[in-house]
Amino acid sequence: MTYQTYDLEFEGYWRESNWSGLPTESGIYCIYAGTHNRETGTVSLRCVLYIGESNNVRLRVPEDPANRRDEWAKKLKEGEQLYASCAKISPSGARKRAEAAMIFHHKPPCNTEYKNNFPFDRTTVKTSGQNLHLSDLFTVG
């Protein structure tokens, strides 16, 4: 492998009740804890709970193993809900490497793999769009 840079433009934020609206494309997704203000129609996100990847984000996020969803829910404070955002990326090798870089750099509490080990060469990730609580630019490896 060689040095690689990934540009990830995040879309979202989808409340758990609206995860059926997530894109069907290959991508990286972030699960957040947050609240929705009905009066203003705005979302306040407290933190990133989990970062994952899939060849079809819409199918993966709501059907993630129940124990993982339960783990996410245990991190919610009173009145909070789960939210998702995602960035399109393919192929699977690029997706896995970018996911690993995101996890290694951000260390979300519900991830275990890649939190303390980055098994790839030097990697730079640029994030934009709906990327609250994510670094705009970072390099690992």
Side-chain angles (χ1 to χ4, degrees):
M1 288 188 206
T2 59
Y3 177 79
Q4 189 66 46
T5 299
Y6 299 101
D7 292 311
L8 302 176
E9 185 174 351
F10 282 85
E11 303 173 22
Y13 304 101
W14 287 268
R15 274 186 290 178
E16 184 175 13
S17 60
N18 298 325
W19 283 354
S20 62
L22 286 163
T24 58
E25 286 87 6
S26 168
I28 292 176
Y29 60 92
C30 296
I31 303 298
Y32 289 89
T35 56
H36 178 249
N37 183 323
R38 293 176 203 250
E39 291 178 18
T40 62
T42 58
V43 173
S44 296
L45 301 176
R46 181 174 54 84
C47 67
V48 176
L49 297 174
Y50 183 83
I51 297 171
E53 60 83 20
S54 176
N55 65 347
N56 182 327
V57 173
R58 182 183 297 170
L59 291 179
R60 176 66 177 178
V61 173
E63 295 178 6
D64 216 318
N67 61 342
R68 190 172 296 156
R69 192 260 171 232
D70 291 346
E71 181 184 356
W72 301 340
K74 286 178 186 175
K75 301 289 186 188
L76 297 176
K77 293 184 177 181
E78 188 174 334
E80 288 185 329
Q81 299 174 54
L82 295 172
Y83 290 83
S85 69
C86 64
K88 297 172 189 166
I89 184 173
S90 60
S92 63
R95 199 175 61 232
K96 199 65 164 163
R97 185 171 173 177
E99 175 207 31
M102 294 279 293
I103 293 168
F104 185 78
H105 179 76
H106 293 99
K107 301 194 184 320
C110 295
N111 283 92
T112 53
E113 189 176 23
Y114 304 124
K115 273 176 83 167
N116 301 309
N117 178 36
F118 184 71
F120 300 95
D121 289 340
R122 186 178 156 126
T123 302
T124 296
V125 177
K126 300 175 187 175
T127 70
S128 60
Q130 307 291 53
N131 63 344
L132 190 63
H133 300 297
L134 301 176
S135 299
D136 292 336
L137 176 66
F138 62 91
T139 301
V140 297

